[in-house]
Amino acid sequence: MSPTAIWGELICVKKLITVLSLLLFLQIAQPAESENKTATGLTRIQFVTDVNRVVPGEEITVALVLKPNTDFHIYWRGPGIVGVAPVIEWDLPEGFEPGSIEWPAPVKVDMVGIMANGFKSETWLLSTIRVPERVVSEQIEIRAKIAWMACAATCHPGIERLSLTLPAGETAEKDETISKRFTKIRSQLPPPSPEGWSFSVSSPEANTIELDVVVPNLKWSDDTVIDFFCDDFQVDSSVATASKTVGDGKFTLTFTRPDFGPKKPKHFSGVLYSEAGWPDTESKWVEVKTSWKHPKSKDE
């Protein structure tokens, strides 16, 4: 073989190695995704994870990605007096344990003049799945049935089945873009209320709820926008929250009860929002949960 032919062969081999290396890189870096589905009001219904393998004894994060069409919205875990929150009904291999949905902070959404709690833009709902110490199968299929409601001038409930398949292995590579997105989403989740905050809930009248809040180091004016997103049906989301400041970090929020709300709930919980942000946090939202103290009836 002539030197020219040998040189040509070497160039071909070098190109082949480059292509194979690129394909291997893409295989490692590419996140696992389910097939993207669409429905009335939604342009994206999809599972996404940042790892390329399932590792025994470790955890993986799976995001349910829902993207509403323009003018449409979906709902938060506590939708208010209208709407239905997205639901994930997992169908996982034996020993795999799914965690709860990690809910981002909601916004107010308008359903033909009725205010509710939800999301107007693409939303990533993260869930952590614990992998058992022993994984028998070489390929792991993560499946779930998804339900939601997308609304604009009209509402459109939907159900879809999603699945993604990952190989099992001793190590996993992460897609940096998706991994960073997961980290950012989690950093923006409403944090728990800091130690030292206190809450007390009461019902001075049959159709009202008052939440008394004490926040150390609170500095704000009476015109600061404040709101509360209740995570069950105790608050009428279509009625504006009334507030008053007592001083020394104390304020009271007053809500209207809906007719169909629970009669004697054990807890009052949700997300508290302040336009000015909250002291001792780096967030405009904080998670709130406090116990009800119902007066005993004559029969008790």
Side-chain angles (χ1 to χ4, degrees), residues 125-156:
L125 302 176
L126 307 187
S127 297
T128 298
I129 298 176
R130 180 70 184 176
V131 182
E133 295 291 338
R134 184 169 179 268
V135 177
V136 178
S137 302
E138 294 182 357
Q139 298 290 321
I140 304 301
E141 187 175 9
I142 296 173
R143 300 184 299 237
K145 182 168 68 173
I146 311 301
W148 69 87
M149 180 176 284
C151 296
T154 56
C155 282
H156 303 271

Side-chain angles (χ1 to χ4, degrees), residues 235-258:
V235 170
D236 188 335
S237 57
S238 68
V239 180
T241 300
S243 65
K244 65 177 180 180
T245 303
V246 179
D248 296 327
K250 300 178 182 179
F251 62 92
T252 299
L253 302 179
T254 303
F255 316 103
T256 299
R257 288 179 181 268

Side-chain angles (χ1 to χ4, degrees), residues 3-197:
T4 302
I6 293 173
W7 182 250
E9 289 289 338
L10 289 174
I11 292 176
C12 289
V13 171
K14 185 177 180 180
K15 287 182 177 179
L16 179 60
I17 292 173
T18 301
V19 170
L20 291 175
S21 299
L22 178 60
L23 290 174
L24 179 61
F25 171 78
L26 290 175
Q27 182 181 13
I28 292 174
Q30 186 177 7
E33 300 177 344
S34 68
E35 177 187 355
N36 183 44
K37 306 289 184 70
T38 61
T40 302
L42 293 176
T43 59
R44 187 179 185 188
I45 308 165
Q46 191 175 32
F47 274 157
V48 176
T49 186
D50 62 341
V51 295
N52 67 339
R53 294 185 189 89
V54 170
V55 179
E58 296 190 358
E59 296 178 339
I60 62 171
T61 296
V62 176
L64 169 60
V65 184
L66 300 173
K67 184 177 182 180
N69 290 42
T70 303
D71 298 328
F72 274 80
H73 62 262
I74 55 175
Y75 293 94
W76 183 59
R77 70 182 191 224
I81 64 170
V82 295
V84 177
V87 174
I88 304 175
E89 187 178 302
W90 295 102
D91 179 13
L92 301 175
E94 184 177 356
F96 283 68
E97 299 179 2
S100 302
I101 294 174
E102 299 173 50
W103 292 95
V107 298
K108 289 297 183 183
V109 294
D110 187 345
M111 175 53 199
V112 196
I114 301 175
M115 301 307 294
N117 311 322
F119 309 102
K120 299 177 183 178
S121 57
E122 182 174 279
T123 302
W124 289 46
L125 302 176
L126 307 187
S127 297
T128 298
I129 298 176
R130 180 70 184 176
V131 182
E133 295 291 338
R134 184 169 179 268
V135 177
V136 178
S137 302
E138 294 182 357
Q139 298 290 321
I140 304 301
E141 187 175 9
I142 296 173
R143 300 184 299 237
K145 182 168 68 173
I146 311 301
W148 69 87
M149 180 176 284
C151 296
T154 56
C155 282
H156 303 271
I159 296 176
E160 188 60 80
R161 294 184 182 276
L162 300 180
S163 67
L164 59 83
T165 302
L166 293 168
E170 295 183 358
T171 60
E173 300 290 338
K174 286 193 174 183
D175 177 89
E176 290 299 322
T177 300
I178 302 300
S179 185
K180 287 179 180 179
R181 183 157 193 171
F182 285 176
T183 299
K184 183 177 180 180
I185 290 170
R186 286 186 165 122
S187 71
Q188 295 174 342
L189 296 176
S193 55
E195 187 175 350
W197 288 31

